[in-house]
Amino acid sequence: MNATLLAIAAYVAVQFAIGIWVSRRISTQSDYINAGRQLGPMVGAFSVFATWFGAEAIVGAGGAVYADGLNGATIDPFGYAAALVISGLVMAMPLWRRGYLTFGDFFRDRYSPAVERLAVLLILPGPIIWAAAQIRGFGVVMGAAGDIPLATGIIVGTIVIVAYTAIGGLLADAYTDVLQGISIVIGLIVIAWMVAAELGGISQGLATVPTARMTYASGDIGTLTLIEQWLIPICGTMVSIELISRMLATRSALTARNATIIGGSMYLLVGLIPVFLGLVGPTLVPNLENSEEIVAKLAAMYLSPFFFVVFTGAIVSAILSTVDTALLAAGSMLSHNAARPFMESLAERTRLALTRLTVAVLGVAACIIALSSESIHDLVETASAFGSAGLVVVALF
């Protein structure tokens, strides 16, 4: 096992240690699902940022920009950054004040138990597909770090992520988000610095990019198609249970709003780094067969062994933070909302155990989707589009 894989293993071990430590404070289903509503503004903001800034924001967005220029950045980072800020302004405070445990509670409270269960069925595929995108990203990273086959990396990633998520719940996830967010920022800044130095600076590097690749929405794309590209991340994010679970876990309505807006602003600033790498990528690595490998290829080319480990840890951080939140939010809604009639008569400890089991089962489903997919970017777009239009309309009314 090379040094990078050893470092990844050590990093994952730290996550497990935090999860086991926090799990001792979890005694109810509520503790597991929304962390006792105790997240402050800093932890909340880092949690929003780290949850959203996953494999698609680094591997997928960099690859999309490498292939299509700035047109590939519509969804990531611009679309999702706008979506997070809008969600903070519109959704955070009203939802927090209602005291819900999950987003599914809103549909039962505002409409009926039947609408609650229907909403859960419409929402669930999105986070599962989103988790599949992250797991596929884990496989790509493992392949770049240690020549591990993609399928093997996906399976190993699933085992690690499912076990880590089932242990600690949202509170452990939020605590580790701070560490993961810092790792993401440091890792991407280091690689951007090295690549820019190789090109003579950021402005000189961008000067090598053909004008067509620097022109946003160029080509024959239609107006309706452009609007759809923006609405997919915005609508999908506004009813995303991963994001709403963060809002509901904060300590006040104001904290919910501010943490979401700050997290979205961080997303845009840090997300511009993979865009830069994707734009200059063809100059440094021309004719790359798999565009999603561009960020990892640049890291391997220009980083020292130590900083390559830092960069790899940053991507692993992004993946762990994003996928465990997706599985946790989906498992919580399935056990708390869809299975409510069967769960109410059970003891609290049994309900907690079944919630953890549900998270594990959904992780296996995400693994199967990841193994059968061809692109992280396509998985993310599908996850954002699935059922979101109707849910946005119903929720906002």
Side-chain angles (χ1 to χ4, degrees):
M1 183 180 292
N2 62 35
T4 303
L5 291 179
L6 283 173
I8 292 174
Y11 184 86
V12 172
V14 172
Q15 311 304 304
F16 270 104
I18 294 175
I20 293 172
W21 174 68
V22 171
S23 68
R24 296 182 299 175
R25 301 169 58 182
I26 297 174
S27 58
T28 67
Q29 189 183 43
S30 176
D31 292 339
Y32 185 76
I33 291 175
N34 71 1
R37 308 189 86 186
Q38 59 182 289
L39 302 187
M42 186 190 76
V43 176
F46 265 101
S47 190
V48 169
F49 163 71
T51 294
W52 235 248
F53 205 88
E56 81 291 342
I58 302 175
V59 179
V65 174
Y66 179 95
D68 301 322
L70 278 183
N71 285 333
T74 301
I75 291 180
D76 244 327
F78 302 125
Y80 282 118
L84 290 171
V85 173
I86 292 171
S87 298
L89 292 171
V90 176
M91 305 283 286
M93 295 182 75
L95 285 176
W96 191 94
R97 286 172 176 154
R98 291 172 179 259
Y100 298 135
L101 185 61
T102 71
F103 191 35
D105 293 347
F106 162 78
F107 293 98
R108 182 183 71 255
D109 177 42
R110 185 63 183 82
Y111 297 100
S112 70
V115 174
E116 171 193 18
R117 289 189 288 271
L118 176 60
V120 170
L121 293 177
L122 289 174
I123 289 172
L124 279 180
I128 296 172
I129 297 171
W130 184 278
Q134 313 310 313
I135 293 173
R136 181 177 175 85
F138 190 95
V140 172
V141 173
M142 296 294 286
D147 294 326
I148 295 175
L150 178 60
T152 302
I154 288 173
I155 294 171
V156 170
T158 301
I159 295 172
V160 168
I161 292 165
V162 167
Y164 165 72
T165 306
I167 291 173
L170 193 143
L171 185 59
D173 187 19
Y175 283 169
T176 56
D177 279 345
V178 177
L179 172 63
Q180 292 162 346
I182 293 172
S183 298
I184 294 166
V185 173
I186 292 175
L188 286 177
I189 287 177
V190 168
I191 185 174
W193 181 279
M194 299 300 292
V195 170
E198 175 68 19
L199 295 170
I202 294 177
S203 58
Q204 289 86 344
L206 292 176
T208 66
V209 181
T211 303
R213 287 174 50 79
M214 293 290 289
T215 304
Y216 181 71
S218 62
D220 56 356
I221 183 172
T223 302
L224 290 178
T225 301
L226 181 61
I227 293 174
E228 180 186 38
Q229 288 180 350
W230 278 93
L231 286 180
I232 284 175
I234 292 175
C235 291
T237 298
M238 290 183 71
V239 292
S240 164
I241 56 177
E242 301 97 314
L243 176 61
I244 291 174
S245 68
R246 262 42 188 178
M247 297 175 180
L248 299 179
T250 55
R251 64 173 60 141
S252 70
L254 186 62
T255 300
R257 185 195 69 182
N258 292 344
T260 306
I261 293 173
I262 294 171
S265 301
M266 292 171 60
Y267 189 100
L268 176 61
L269 292 175
V270 181
L272 290 175
I273 297 177
V275 172
F276 168 72
L277 297 176
L279 286 172
V280 302
T283 302
L284 300 171
V285 189
N287 304 317
L288 186 61
E289 182 176 349
N290 182 1
S291 63
E292 289 185 341
E293 295 179 352
I294 181 58
V295 178
K297 290 287 186 183
L298 291 174
M301 289 171 58
Y302 295 106
L303 297 184
S304 66
F306 172 78
F307 281 116
F308 183 76
V309 170
V310 173
F311 164 76
T312 305
I315 297 184
V316 171
S317 295
I319 292 170
L320 287 176
S321 179
T322 302
V323 72
D324 60 8
T325 302
L327 294 178
L328 177 62
S332 298
M333 283 194 68
L334 188 58
S335 61
H336 175 69
N337 298 108
R340 178 185 293 274
F342 309 100
M343 299 281 279
E344 288 181 337
S345 62
L346 300 177
E348 188 64 48
R349 185 179 297 274
T350 304
R351 282 190 283 179
L352 176 59
L354 289 176
T355 301
R356 284 174 161 149
L357 177 61
T358 303
V359 168
V361 171
L362 294 181
V364 174
C367 177
I368 295 172
I369 295 172
L371 288 170
S372 61
S373 67
E374 297 181 358
S375 166
I376 295 172
H377 191 264
D378 290 345
L379 282 172
V380 169
E381 188 168 359
T382 301
S384 297
F386 201 102
S388 61
L391 288 168
V392 166
V393 172
V394 172
L396 291 183
F397 268 116

